[in-house]
Amino acid sequence: MILLFSDTLTEETSLYAFLTESAAQLGAPLVRVADGRTPFEVYWHSRFLGNSRLAPCSKILKQQLARRWLEVNGDPRTATLYVGIDAGETRRIPGVRAGWAPWTVQFPLTDEPELTKEAMLAVARGLGLTPPAASQKGFAHANCGGLCVRGGQAHWRRRLVRHPDRFADYEHREQEFRAEFGDVAILKEQRDRVVRPLPLTELRRRPQPTCTIARAAPAKAGTRLHWCAGTGEPAVACTKVTAATSIPPRGTALTARSAGTPGPPRGEAAPRHAA
Ligand code: SF4
């Protein structure tokens, strides 16, 4: 078995450490392929800003690189690809399979519905591994340092609240890009049936949506946690939140800060990750 990792050069330090430690524990070689550019460098070179609908970063920095490596190192007649999507992402299977033809693709993590991301992280911890920081903090995804252009407004609000420095960095990069290429943005919004760019600077300026739904309750360790789509804060007892869910990091004592205030704006979608 060979572990193949497409490096976007923007991952958290803890993710690189997790990969190295996991590979050592599995006794499998970890092969790293890298284009040498970051996602934003790809946007500049392609003169196209990645967004929730089209992400050239994923195609160029991950899919094409991995495919090139496979064409040299993986005979489709004998090699099988194992893609690590979980039981909650099975809708992606046909597209992934078609995308990797002519290789045979298998999805072993989808075999057991109860094998959730949280359960897998618990297994990893039990084996003495330290999951990436984003996973420890309860985020559903840990790719690209949590700054995925495929995420929606809820994803970026969450970044603003939880990682203001990273948000500010991308906000600045987006402004530079807009200065060169005009009115484009990572985010979009629909108003009066017209889809418009929504720059991160504008998202920051907007007041946080007020929630009339969320009700707070103390969380027990291991309780399934909803992230409020409005503010990115934990909304433990809200039953109507539609944003991505996760569990609190081990040992985290949650206080329900979303009590009676924040909540999901209408039409907000959970982040989508294809890479
Ligand atoms: S995780 Fe998001 S930002 Fe990173 S390469 Fe994939 S689509 Fe692009």
Side-chain angles (χ1 to χ4, degrees), residues 1 3 80-90 93 96-97 104-116 120:
M1 182 169 70
L3 306 170
T80 299
L81 312 188
Y82 296 97
V83 175
I85 64 176
D86 64 36
E89 303 173 294
T90 49
I93 288 179
V96 173
R97 211 164 243 148
T104 301
V105 190
Q106 291 190 13
F107 307 88
L109 299 182
T110 63
D111 291 345
E112 300 172 44
E114 68 277 9
L115 196 56
T116 60
M120 286 185 262

Side-chain angles (χ1 to χ4, degrees), residues 35 44 73 79 104-105 111 162-163 182 195 202 204 210 226 230 234 240 242 264 275:
D35 172 281
W44 275 92
N73 299 284
T104 301
V105 190
D111 291 345
R162 308 281 287 191
H163 296 294
V195 177
E202 173 59 24
R204 174 198 288 282
T210 299
H226 294 274
K240 297 190 179 176
T242 54

Side-chain angles (χ1 to χ4, degrees), residues 9 16 25 38 52 62 92 134 143 181-182 200 243 255 258 269 271:
L9 311 181
Y16 292 109
Q25 191 153 122
T38 63
S52 57
K62 295 191 172 181
R92 294 178 53 195
N143 29 9
F181 296 107
L200 296 177
T255 53
S258 53

